[in-house]
Amino acid sequence: MSGSTAAVLIVTHAAMHEHAPLHNREVPARLIAALRGVAAAQRAGVVCEVRNAEPVRDAEVLAVHAQALLNRLRDGFEQGLEQAGPEAPLAAGTWSSARHAAGAGPTAVRQLLLPGAPRRAFCVVRPPGHHASHDAASGYCYLNNAAITAAAVRSLGLAQRVAILDIDHHHGNGTEAVVGRIGSCAYASVHAAGYPGTGLRDGGEGVFNRALRRIDRRAWLQAVAELLALLDAWRPEALVVSFGTDALIDDPVGDLGITQDDLDGAVAAVVGLWPTLPLISLLEGGYSLPNLEQAVQRHVRTLARTA
């Protein structure tokens, strides 16, 4: 790699392969493709410190979710429940995968607090999380990984003002719905104006939305620039990125017409704007496996940049 680089913390767990519902695009092969991307970044010279995700703790879940949702996810499959919510099917390995995916962010926070640790982390997780609200799973999402991470940033003392930037194709309706429970947490999202039909305008204080009504990469790039300016004015002390790759050209679920250069450029802009802030990125959507692998490779390489 050219330029100055630093180690990147990678947090993942083999248990995230276990969630394998039928007739669903959110499949274990996504995790394999993402991990291939990490391996490619390592071959390109990125130093990755790999750690296993700890299962999320009940207290970390309850910082943003209702006890009833926790109970439904933990016990639902054994009780014969087929769905935890709309487009959130339950299978034998769902709870194991979801609790490790949700625990990856807090694991990263604890690691980043250690002396000499990296300042940036990428959590290679599935299932994704940004559609999960306070009391409901939906849209392939069971627990809100990004919101749980942001709450852990504050509760564990990594920072007190934390901003979540969501660049998935879809609006993180669940994240926006729970961000007010975290305290001193901003949320900014660029997304298509379709599913889930939310995020068509800014929310309350510190909630910024840019909804695109057509495939338009220039509008996407402009929206990212606007959101970064708004977050900069909000003055975050730590960053959480909901990193989806489904806005890329040819994704079978999303597609906002953006290129790999566009997606990588957005992350490079984040790194350039806040070079010293702790940053934890978490995988959200992305259903073209070749796109996902390439995007993750580039993402990890960009997170390693120091100059």
Side-chain angles (χ1 to χ4, degrees):
M1 289 184 63
S2 60
S4 179
T5 63
V8 177
L9 176 68
I10 303 294
V11 183
T12 190
H13 199 285
M16 288 181 257
H17 292 284
E18 297 175 13
H19 172 60
L22 299 175
H23 313 301
N24 193 318
R25 292 185 184 272
E26 206 295 286
V27 294
R30 296 185 62 246
L31 192 69
I32 296 169
L35 291 171
R36 283 200 301 261
V38 172
Q42 289 176 295
R43 291 193 298 272
V46 177
V47 176
C48 294
E49 297 185 11
V50 182
R51 299 290 183 273
N52 273 333
E54 300 172 17
V56 71
R57 301 170 185 179
D58 284 3
E60 293 165 343
V61 173
L62 296 174
V64 296
H65 290 295
Q67 181 71 55
L69 177 60
L70 175 58
N71 295 345
R72 189 181 316 133
L73 296 177
R74 184 168 50 202
D75 305 326
F77 181 76
E78 292 184 356
Q79 295 173 349
L81 193 65
E82 295 182 355
Q83 296 275 338
E87 292 188 280
L90 289 173
T94 300
W95 174 236
S96 178
S97 293
R99 67 197 293 249
H100 283 89
T107 299
V109 173
R110 287 188 279 272
Q111 289 292 315
L112 264 56
L113 284 166
L114 297 176
R119 296 301 286 166
R120 298 182 191 135
F122 181 45
C123 299
V124 185
V125 300
R126 65 169 293 272
H130 71 158
H131 295 310
S133 65
H134 175 62
D135 57 0
S138 69
Y140 305 165
C141 301
Y142 299 83
L143 295 171
N144 197 304
N145 306 326
I148 288 171
T149 300
V153 166
R154 299 191 72 247
S155 66
L156 294 173
L158 183 62
Q160 286 305 301
R161 293 177 65 81
V162 56
I164 302 172
L165 174 66
D166 192 331
I167 53 176
D168 188 272
H169 172 89
H170 305 97
H171 180 238
N173 56 315
T175 309
E176 180 174 326
V178 300
V179 73
R181 298 176 176 273
I182 299 170
S184 296
C185 183
Y187 175 71
S189 175
V190 55
H191 50 269
Y195 178 89
T198 54
L200 302 182
R201 59 189 60 83
D202 288 348
E205 183 178 356
V207 174
F208 311 110
N209 288 308
R210 293 295 181 270
L212 305 182
R213 299 184 181 278
R214 64 184 184 279
I215 295 175
D216 187 340
R217 60 179 293 269
R218 289 187 177 86
W220 189 90
L221 292 168
Q222 178 60 36
V224 169
E226 292 175 4
L227 292 174
L228 294 187
L230 289 166
L231 289 180
D232 194 37
W234 191 82
R235 301 180 66 180
E237 299 168 356
L239 305 165
V240 173
V241 177
S242 277
F243 181 72
T245 69
D246 44 357
L248 289 167
I249 294 169
D250 294 331
D251 188 274
V253 173
D255 187 350
L256 276 169
I258 68 169
T259 66
Q260 292 279 356
D261 284 346
D262 297 333
L263 186 63
D264 187 50
V267 179
V270 171
V271 169
L273 186 58
W274 297 291
T276 63
L277 296 191
L279 183 156
I280 300 172
S281 176
L282 302 102
L283 183 62
E284 295 281 0
Y287 305 94
S288 162
L289 299 185
N291 274 354
L292 178 58
E293 180 177 344
Q294 183 181 353
V296 166
Q297 176 189 356
R298 297 183 63 155
H299 188 54
V300 174
R301 295 178 69 172
T302 298
L303 292 179
R305 293 181 193 171
T306 60

